[in-house]
Amino acid sequence: MSRVLLVVLMLAATAGAVVAYGDPERIARAGDTVSELLRRRAASPARAVQIPRGQSGEFALHAKINGVNAPMVIDTGATSVVLTYETAKAAGLPLELLEYDVDVETAGGHTRAARLTLDRLAIGKLVERSVPALVVPHGQMKTNLLGMSFLDRLESWEVHADRLMLHGYP
């Protein structure tokens, strides 16, 4: 979205310069305005979250699902965000309406899960809306997984030594 806005601003500035071509002073002011906008954009803090590696090698974090705290583990092998039944219930998700019709493989074996969409999933400064997720039946998993249905929405994510960096779009 912000990239589109930047392109639109650049096009508007160019169009303004063409219209004002006969007035070098106006062209200079337009150039200064565009330069100032770009400087402000570069100076704005990026949305990023740093997660330390846990003692057992995983990257664990605390997310907020629809405003409710939820412990999660990053799982790049999981296609989707996967929630335990207990977390989904605490987040006020409509469990009575769910249909458990998705086959999934977990660390504990094969189970079925239900599809749903999270209104809001936040990890620090990173907030995503309408995130596809799965819920597994009661007792099927011990932890929530932050999978690719969230990670794919980020600008980038990378591991450096014992830190995972999640970078959101500005």
Side-chain angles (χ1 to χ4, degrees):
M1 169 94 172
S2 60
R3 290 180 184 178
V4 172
L5 182 60
L6 183 60
V7 169
V8 169
L9 284 172
M10 292 300 293
L11 289 173
T14 302
V18 168
V19 169
Y21 182 75
D23 186 356
E25 188 175 310
R26 288 180 86 188
I27 294 172
R29 281 196 311 265
D32 291 343
T33 302
V34 170
S35 295
E36 179 60 28
L37 286 172
L38 292 175
R39 267 195 297 276
R40 283 187 202 158
R41 178 77 181 137
S44 67
R47 294 185 324 133
V49 174
Q50 180 174 251
I51 302 162
R53 185 186 305 268
Q55 290 182 350
S56 57
E58 84 288 350
F59 292 102
L61 55 96
H62 286 279
K64 284 198 176 221
I65 298 171
N66 298 345
V68 174
N69 287 325
M72 301 193 90
V73 172
I74 301 280
D75 186 349
T76 59
T79 304
S80 183
V81 169
V82 183
L83 302 180
T84 65
Y85 182 90
E86 295 77 13
T87 297
K89 185 175 181 179
L93 299 173
L95 298 177
E96 63 281 351
L97 302 176
L98 298 180
E99 194 173 322
Y100 293 85
D101 59 355
V102 179
D103 290 322
V104 293
E105 286 296 325
T106 69
H110 179 80
T111 191
R112 295 177 69 82
R115 287 184 181 92
L116 52 75
T117 301
L118 304 176
D119 292 334
R120 186 174 190 272
L121 176 56
I123 298 168
K125 299 175 190 176
L126 304 175
V127 179
E128 291 294 328
R129 297 190 181 282
S130 299
V131 178
L134 298 173
V135 175
V136 294
H138 180 70
Q140 293 296 305
M141 284 179 38
K142 294 180 182 177
T143 189
N144 303 296
L145 304 177
L146 187 70
M148 297 306 293
S149 63
F150 178 85
L151 297 173
D152 278 343
R153 293 171 171 232
L154 302 177
E155 183 173 28
S156 67
W157 50 272
E158 58 196 342
V159 177
H160 289 286
D162 286 334
R163 302 253 180 245
L164 173 66
M165 293 296 297
L166 304 176
H167 300 277
Y169 287 99

